Amino acid sequence: MTYVDGNAIAGLLREVFDEELTAAVSTCGTCGEVAVVAELRVYLRCPGAVVRCPRCGAVLVRIAEIRGLHVVDLGGLRDLARA
Amino acid sequence: MADVVDIVHETSRVRTILLDVPDWPGHHAGQHVDVRLTAEDGYQAQRSYSIASAPEDERVAITVEELADGEVSPYLVGELRVGDGLELRGPVGGWFVWDVSDGGPLLLVGGGSGVVPLRAMVRHRVAAASDVPVRLLVSSRTLDDAIYRAELDGLAARGDGLEVVHTLSREQPAGWTGRTGRIDRELLAEVAWPGTENPLAFVCGPTGLVEAVASGLVDLGYGAGRVKTERFGPTG
């Protein structure tokens, strides 16, 4: 399945976190890869958005809208730091 | 709610939509807006579109390519009319952005409608009277698919430090003397600034093109942090 990147969810992240996060720096909880959010792999053709590590492919973030609520799982991240 | 004030026919499948947006906070070249359509039954679909206008332009513009199976782009290209309203949010995005103060030399590489945010950067450079050297490499399937070609070639003809190179990947008109084929390492090595000049690169297009160009640039000595990428997929 084809992926895009974190730029594609700039608006969604703004909606959920109320701030600009594409330039924030993430650390993968599985392999330790450090990457800006804009460079993460994003899969949109699923229920919600799935964000994966560009190095090891681990799921970092999942965001789905369920009955008007955003359900957010950040469990794959070790760290997320503002730019 | 934005008001549609003009629609420009760019190619058979591409329109630029000029908008009057109340309380627009200003933007940086490279940012996007999210456009949301709501059907009569309440069903909503949302897509992200790069802003095509420079921060200095009077109107905010987006350029939309119609994708055959899309939910949003067929409406924006085929149905939307001047005077209609459009629900949009933004600007959003803070990574894939360029201000003249970021300097260069600047390499811009776009595939298909990936040229849209790069056009905003080029217009920003002109409006700000910047002399940052810019090379813009655009890959289009055919000459008729080359979005903004007249505008970009016209700006390049001013000879003030903007160079524009087109490559046609699928079909070339008779007498075409420009580049042909996809952007490969050979073409990149020929067109891109040498890595020793510490260039800044922005690459936008379909995922496959972006991956190939980004790795090609790193091989040419570009610093990984100096190559900014934006990938788009088949969802329209």
PDB file of all heavy atoms in Angstrom, chain B residues 84-110:
ATOM      1  N   ASP B  84     -18.977  30.664  -5.509  1.00  0.00           N
ATOM      2  CA  ASP B  84     -19.253  29.607  -4.541  1.00  0.00           C
ATOM      3  C   ASP B  84     -18.404  29.811  -3.281  1.00  0.00           C
ATOM      4  O   ASP B  84     -17.358  30.453  -3.314  1.00  0.00           O
ATOM      5  CB  ASP B  84     -18.913  28.225  -5.125  1.00  0.00           C
ATOM      6  CG  ASP B  84     -19.906  27.776  -6.189  1.00  0.00           C
ATOM      7  OD1 ASP B  84     -20.976  28.400  -6.299  1.00  0.00           O
ATOM      8  OD2 ASP B  84     -19.598  26.791  -6.899  1.00  0.00           O
ATOM      9  N   GLY B  85     -18.831  29.205  -2.201  1.00  0.00           N
ATOM     10  CA  GLY B  85     -18.048  29.210  -0.969  1.00  0.00           C
ATOM     11  C   GLY B  85     -17.274  27.917  -0.857  1.00  0.00           C
ATOM     12  O   GLY B  85     -17.632  26.900  -1.460  1.00  0.00           O
ATOM     13  N   LEU B  86     -16.189  27.966  -0.103  1.00  0.00           N
ATOM     14  CA  LEU B  86     -15.374  26.770   0.093  1.00  0.00           C
ATOM     15  C   LEU B  86     -14.897  26.764   1.541  1.00  0.00           C
ATOM     16  O   LEU B  86     -14.335  27.747   2.021  1.00  0.00           O
ATOM     17  CB  LEU B  86     -14.177  26.816  -0.873  1.00  0.00           C
ATOM     18  CG  LEU B  86     -13.472  25.510  -1.204  1.00  0.00           C
ATOM     19  CD1 LEU B  86     -14.448  24.486  -1.787  1.00  0.00           C
ATOM     20  CD2 LEU B  86     -12.332  25.773  -2.181  1.00  0.00           C
ATOM     21  N   GLU B  87     -15.136  25.635   2.223  1.00  0.00           N
ATOM     22  CA  GLU B  87     -14.710  25.548   3.617  1.00  0.00           C
ATOM     23  C   GLU B  87     -13.253  25.136   3.660  1.00  0.00           C
ATOM     24  O   GLU B  87     -12.888  24.058   3.180  1.00  0.00           O
ATOM     25  CB  GLU B  87     -15.569  24.522   4.371  1.00  0.00           C
ATOM     26  CG  GLU B  87     -15.226  24.464   5.854  1.00  0.00           C
ATOM     27  CD  GLU B  87     -16.013  23.400   6.623  1.00  0.00           C
ATOM     28  OE1 GLU B  87     -16.958  22.821   6.047  1.00  0.00           O
ATOM     29  OE2 GLU B  87     -15.656  23.152   7.782  1.00  0.00           O
ATOM     30  N   LEU B  88     -12.418  25.991   4.197  1.00  0.00           N
ATOM     31  CA  LEU B  88     -11.020  25.586   4.301  1.00  0.00           C
ATOM     32  C   LEU B  88     -10.423  26.006   5.623  1.00  0.00           C
ATOM     33  O   LEU B  88     -10.896  26.939   6.291  1.00  0.00           O
ATOM     34  CB  LEU B  88     -10.198  26.092   3.118  1.00  0.00           C
ATOM     35  CG  LEU B  88     -10.091  27.560   2.789  1.00  0.00           C
ATOM     36  CD1 LEU B  88      -9.009  28.199   3.627  1.00  0.00           C
ATOM     37  CD2 LEU B  88      -9.715  27.680   1.312  1.00  0.00           C
ATOM     38  N   ARG B  89      -9.392  25.244   6.011  1.00  0.00           N
ATOM     39  CA  ARG B  89      -8.682  25.524   7.255  1.00  0.00           C
ATOM     40  C   ARG B  89      -7.206  25.612   6.956  1.00  0.00           C
ATOM     41  O   ARG B  89      -6.672  24.842   6.166  1.00  0.00           O
ATOM     42  CB  ARG B  89      -8.957  24.430   8.281  1.00  0.00           C
ATOM     43  CG  ARG B  89     -10.378  24.482   8.798  1.00  0.00           C
ATOM     44  CD  ARG B  89     -10.621  23.442   9.822  1.00  0.00           C
ATOM     45  NE  ARG B  89     -10.312  22.114   9.278  1.00  0.00           N
ATOM     46  CZ  ARG B  89     -10.275  21.031  10.013  1.00  0.00           C
ATOM     47  NH1 ARG B  89     -10.495  21.088  11.299  1.00  0.00           N
ATOM     48  NH2 ARG B  89     -10.006  19.867   9.458  1.00  0.00           N
ATOM     49  N   GLY B  90      -6.574  26.530   7.599  1.00  0.00           N
ATOM     50  CA  GLY B  90      -5.143  26.663   7.397  1.00  0.00           C
ATOM     51  C   GLY B  90      -4.735  28.116   7.482  1.00  0.00           C
ATOM     52  O   GLY B  90      -5.551  28.959   7.843  1.00  0.00           O
ATOM     53  N   PRO B  91      -3.525  28.416   7.139  1.00  0.00           N
ATOM     54  CA  PRO B  91      -2.529  27.509   6.569  1.00  0.00           C
ATOM     55  C   PRO B  91      -1.979  26.530   7.607  1.00  0.00           C
ATOM     56  O   PRO B  91      -1.985  26.826   8.794  1.00  0.00           O
ATOM     57  CB  PRO B  91      -1.426  28.469   6.100  1.00  0.00           C
ATOM     58  CG  PRO B  91      -1.526  29.624   7.063  1.00  0.00           C
ATOM     59  CD  PRO B  91      -3.003  29.772   7.337  1.00  0.00           C
ATOM     60  N   VAL B  92      -1.546  25.359   7.124  1.00  0.00           N
ATOM     61  CA  VAL B  92      -0.913  24.376   7.994  1.00  0.00           C
ATOM     62  C   VAL B  92       0.417  23.920   7.386  1.00  0.00           C
ATOM     63  O   VAL B  92       0.642  24.058   6.183  1.00  0.00           O
ATOM     64  CB  VAL B  92      -1.806  23.139   8.239  1.00  0.00           C
ATOM     65  CG1 VAL B  92      -3.049  23.518   9.029  1.00  0.00           C
ATOM     66  CG2 VAL B  92      -2.186  22.455   6.949  1.00  0.00           C
ATOM     67  N   GLY B  93       1.256  23.374   8.244  1.00  0.00           N
ATOM     68  CA  GLY B  93       2.561  22.866   7.811  1.00  0.00           C
ATOM     69  C   GLY B  93       3.663  23.838   8.171  1.00  0.00           C
ATOM     70  O   GLY B  93       3.529  25.047   7.963  1.00  0.00           O
ATOM     71  N   GLY B  94       4.751  23.315   8.716  1.00  0.00           N
ATOM     72  CA  GLY B  94       5.837  24.189   9.134  1.00  0.00           C
ATOM     73  C   GLY B  94       7.208  23.662   8.761  1.00  0.00           C
ATOM     74  O   GLY B  94       8.226  24.241   9.127  1.00  0.00           O
ATOM     75  N   TRP B  95       7.254  22.572   8.005  1.00  0.00           N
ATOM     76  CA  TRP B  95       8.522  21.942   7.644  1.00  0.00           C
ATOM     77  C   TRP B  95       8.882  22.219   6.194  1.00  0.00           C
ATOM     78  O   TRP B  95       9.970  22.687   5.888  1.00  0.00           O
ATOM     79  CB  TRP B  95       8.432  20.431   7.895  1.00  0.00           C
ATOM     80  CG  TRP B  95       9.602  19.653   7.402  1.00  0.00           C
ATOM     81  CD1 TRP B  95       9.631  18.788   6.351  1.00  0.00           C
ATOM     82  CD2 TRP B  95      10.924  19.639   7.954  1.00  0.00           C
ATOM     83  NE1 TRP B  95      10.886  18.261   6.216  1.00  0.00           N
ATOM     84  CE2 TRP B  95      11.695  18.753   7.171  1.00  0.00           C
ATOM     85  CE3 TRP B  95      11.517  20.301   9.034  1.00  0.00           C
ATOM     86  CZ2 TRP B  95      13.035  18.502   7.431  1.00  0.00           C
ATOM     87  CZ3 TRP B  95      12.864  20.051   9.289  1.00  0.00           C
ATOM     88  CH2 TRP B  95      13.608  19.160   8.499  1.00  0.00           C
ATOM     89  N   PHE B  96       7.940  21.934   5.312  1.00  0.00           N
ATOM     90  CA  PHE B  96       8.167  22.095   3.879  1.00  0.00           C
ATOM     91  C   PHE B  96       7.832  23.543   3.508  1.00  0.00           C
ATOM     92  O   PHE B  96       6.863  23.825   2.808  1.00  0.00           O
ATOM     93  CB  PHE B  96       7.296  21.098   3.107  1.00  0.00           C
ATOM     94  CG  PHE B  96       7.681  20.932   1.663  1.00  0.00           C
ATOM     95  CD1 PHE B  96       8.656  20.015   1.299  1.00  0.00           C
ATOM     96  CD2 PHE B  96       7.076  21.687   0.678  1.00  0.00           C
ATOM     97  CE1 PHE B  96       9.010  19.864  -0.042  1.00  0.00           C
ATOM     98  CE2 PHE B  96       7.427  21.539  -0.659  1.00  0.00           C
ATOM     99  CZ  PHE B  96       8.399  20.632  -1.012  1.00  0.00           C
ATOM    100  N   VAL B  97       8.605  24.476   4.018  1.00  0.00           N
ATOM    101  CA  VAL B  97       8.348  25.900   3.778  1.00  0.00           C
ATOM    102  C   VAL B  97       9.655  26.604   3.469  1.00  0.00           C
ATOM    103  O   VAL B  97      10.722  26.208   3.958  1.00  0.00           O
ATOM    104  CB  VAL B  97       7.669  26.587   4.995  1.00  0.00           C
ATOM    105  CG1 VAL B  97       6.289  26.011   5.228  1.00  0.00           C
ATOM    106  CG2 VAL B  97       8.517  26.461   6.254  1.00  0.00           C
ATOM    107  N   TRP B  98       9.571  27.640   2.641  1.00  0.00           N
ATOM    108  CA  TRP B  98      10.765  28.408   2.314  1.00  0.00           C
ATOM    109  C   TRP B  98      10.457  29.902   2.345  1.00  0.00           C
ATOM    110  O   TRP B  98       9.474  30.355   1.756  1.00  0.00           O
ATOM    111  CB  TRP B  98      11.291  28.043   0.918  1.00  0.00           C
ATOM    112  CG  TRP B  98      12.553  28.771   0.549  1.00  0.00           C
ATOM    113  CD1 TRP B  98      13.810  28.527   1.033  1.00  0.00           C
ATOM    114  CD2 TRP B  98      12.691  29.869  -0.358  1.00  0.00           C
ATOM    115  NE1 TRP B  98      14.720  29.409   0.487  1.00  0.00           N
ATOM    116  CE2 TRP B  98      14.056  30.242  -0.382  1.00  0.00           C
ATOM    117  CE3 TRP B  98      11.790  30.588  -1.162  1.00  0.00           C
ATOM    118  CZ2 TRP B  98      14.542  31.290  -1.165  1.00  0.00           C
ATOM    119  CZ3 TRP B  98      12.276  31.628  -1.939  1.00  0.00           C
ATOM    120  CH2 TRP B  98      13.643  31.967  -1.941  1.00  0.00           C
ATOM    121  N   ASP B  99      11.300  30.623   3.048  1.00  0.00           N
ATOM    122  CA  ASP B  99      11.272  32.083   3.029  1.00  0.00           C
ATOM    123  C   ASP B  99      12.580  32.548   2.411  1.00  0.00           C
ATOM    124  O   ASP B  99      13.608  31.881   2.565  1.00  0.00           O
ATOM    125  CB  ASP B  99      11.147  32.642   4.452  1.00  0.00           C
ATOM    126  CG  ASP B  99       9.774  32.365   5.038  1.00  0.00           C
ATOM    127  OD1 ASP B  99       8.778  32.782   4.423  1.00  0.00           O
ATOM    128  OD2 ASP B  99       9.710  31.715   6.096  1.00  0.00           O
ATOM    129  N   VAL B 100      12.571  33.708   1.765  1.00  0.00           N
ATOM    130  CA  VAL B 100      13.795  34.170   1.116  1.00  0.00           C
ATOM    131  C   VAL B 100      14.948  34.257   2.122  1.00  0.00           C
ATOM    132  O   VAL B 100      16.113  34.055   1.761  1.00  0.00           O
ATOM    133  CB  VAL B 100      13.600  35.525   0.391  1.00  0.00           C
ATOM    134  CG1 VAL B 100      12.724  35.360  -0.832  1.00  0.00           C
ATOM    135  CG2 VAL B 100      13.067  36.586   1.316  1.00  0.00           C
ATOM    136  N   SER B 101      14.627  34.508   3.381  1.00  0.00           N
ATOM    137  CA  SER B 101      15.685  34.595   4.395  1.00  0.00           C
ATOM    138  C   SER B 101      16.370  33.244   4.644  1.00  0.00           C
ATOM    139  O   SER B 101      17.448  33.194   5.230  1.00  0.00           O
ATOM    140  CB  SER B 101      15.108  35.134   5.706  1.00  0.00           C
ATOM    141  OG  SER B 101      14.086  34.274   6.164  1.00  0.00           O
ATOM    142  N   ASP B 102      15.728  32.137   4.196  1.00  0.00           N
ATOM    143  CA  ASP B 102      16.362  30.814   4.331  1.00  0.00           C
ATOM    144  C   ASP B 102      17.500  30.648   3.322  1.00  0.00           C
ATOM    145  O   ASP B 102      18.310  29.736   3.443  1.00  0.00           O
ATOM    146  CB  ASP B 102      15.339  29.690   4.112  1.00  0.00           C
ATOM    147  CG  ASP B 102      14.264  29.688   5.182  1.00  0.00           C
ATOM    148  OD1 ASP B 102      14.571  30.056   6.330  1.00  0.00           O
ATOM    149  OD2 ASP B 102      13.118  29.323   4.866  1.00  0.00           O
ATOM    150  N   GLY B 103      17.530  31.490   2.301  1.00  0.00           N
ATOM    151  CA  GLY B 103      18.639  31.504   1.350  1.00  0.00           C
ATOM    152  C   GLY B 103      18.656  30.316   0.417  1.00  0.00           C
ATOM    153  O   GLY B 103      17.654  29.632   0.206  1.00  0.00           O
ATOM    154  N   GLY B 104      19.849  30.055  -0.148  1.00  0.00           N
ATOM    155  CA  GLY B 104      20.005  28.987  -1.133  1.00  0.00           C
ATOM    156  C   GLY B 104      21.471  28.644  -1.254  1.00  0.00           C
ATOM    157  O   GLY B 104      22.187  28.798  -0.268  1.00  0.00           O
ATOM    158  N   PRO B 105      21.957  28.252  -2.420  1.00  0.00           N
ATOM    159  CA  PRO B 105      21.162  28.117  -3.643  1.00  0.00           C
ATOM    160  C   PRO B 105      20.052  27.094  -3.473  1.00  0.00           C
ATOM    161  O   PRO B 105      20.178  26.153  -2.698  1.00  0.00           O
ATOM    162  CB  PRO B 105      22.182  27.683  -4.688  1.00  0.00           C
ATOM    163  CG  PRO B 105      23.309  27.087  -3.919  1.00  0.00           C
ATOM    164  CD  PRO B 105      23.346  27.808  -2.607  1.00  0.00           C
ATOM    165  N   LEU B 106      18.992  27.313  -4.211  1.00  0.00           N
ATOM    166  CA  LEU B 106      17.779  26.543  -4.015  1.00  0.00           C
ATOM    167  C   LEU B 106      17.553  25.613  -5.200  1.00  0.00           C
ATOM    168  O   LEU B 106      17.622  26.040  -6.348  1.00  0.00           O
ATOM    169  CB  LEU B 106      16.621  27.538  -3.909  1.00  0.00           C
ATOM    170  CG  LEU B 106      15.294  27.081  -3.323  1.00  0.00           C
ATOM    171  CD1 LEU B 106      15.470  26.591  -1.894  1.00  0.00           C
ATOM    172  CD2 LEU B 106      14.308  28.272  -3.340  1.00  0.00           C
ATOM    173  N   LEU B 107      17.308  24.344  -4.891  1.00  0.00           N
ATOM    174  CA  LEU B 107      16.928  23.383  -5.918  1.00  0.00           C
ATOM    175  C   LEU B 107      15.489  22.966  -5.643  1.00  0.00           C
ATOM    176  O   LEU B 107      15.183  22.484  -4.550  1.00  0.00           O
ATOM    177  CB  LEU B 107      17.832  22.150  -5.884  1.00  0.00           C
ATOM    178  CG  LEU B 107      17.414  21.051  -6.863  1.00  0.00           C
ATOM    179  CD1 LEU B 107      17.686  21.460  -8.301  1.00  0.00           C
ATOM    180  CD2 LEU B 107      18.120  19.728  -6.542  1.00  0.00           C
ATOM    181  N   LEU B 108      14.637  23.146  -6.631  1.00  0.00           N
ATOM    182  CA  LEU B 108      13.233  22.756  -6.498  1.00  0.00           C
ATOM    183  C   LEU B 108      12.953  21.656  -7.512  1.00  0.00           C
ATOM    184  O   LEU B 108      13.223  21.831  -8.698  1.00  0.00           O
ATOM    185  CB  LEU B 108      12.322  23.956  -6.762  1.00  0.00           C
ATOM    186  CG  LEU B 108      12.615  25.234  -5.944  1.00  0.00           C
ATOM    187  CD1 LEU B 108      11.694  26.372  -6.393  1.00  0.00           C
ATOM    188  CD2 LEU B 108      12.450  24.974  -4.457  1.00  0.00           C
ATOM    189  N   VAL B 109      12.432  20.532  -7.038  1.00  0.00           N
ATOM    190  CA  VAL B 109      12.131  19.421  -7.941  1.00  0.00           C
ATOM    191  C   VAL B 109      10.673  19.017  -7.747  1.00  0.00           C
ATOM    192  O   VAL B 109      10.266  18.681  -6.628  1.00  0.00           O
ATOM    193  CB  VAL B 109      13.047  18.207  -7.677  1.00  0.00           C
ATOM    194  CG1 VAL B 109      12.751  17.098  -8.688  1.00  0.00           C
ATOM    195  CG2 VAL B 109      14.516  18.600  -7.727  1.00  0.00           C
ATOM    196  N   GLY B 110       9.901  19.064  -8.833  1.00  0.00           N
ATOM    197  CA  GLY B 110       8.488  18.737  -8.736  1.00  0.00           C
ATOM    198  C   GLY B 110       8.078  17.717  -9.768  1.00  0.00           C
ATOM    199  O   GLY B 110       8.529  17.752 -10.910  1.00  0.00           O
TER     200      GLY B 110
END
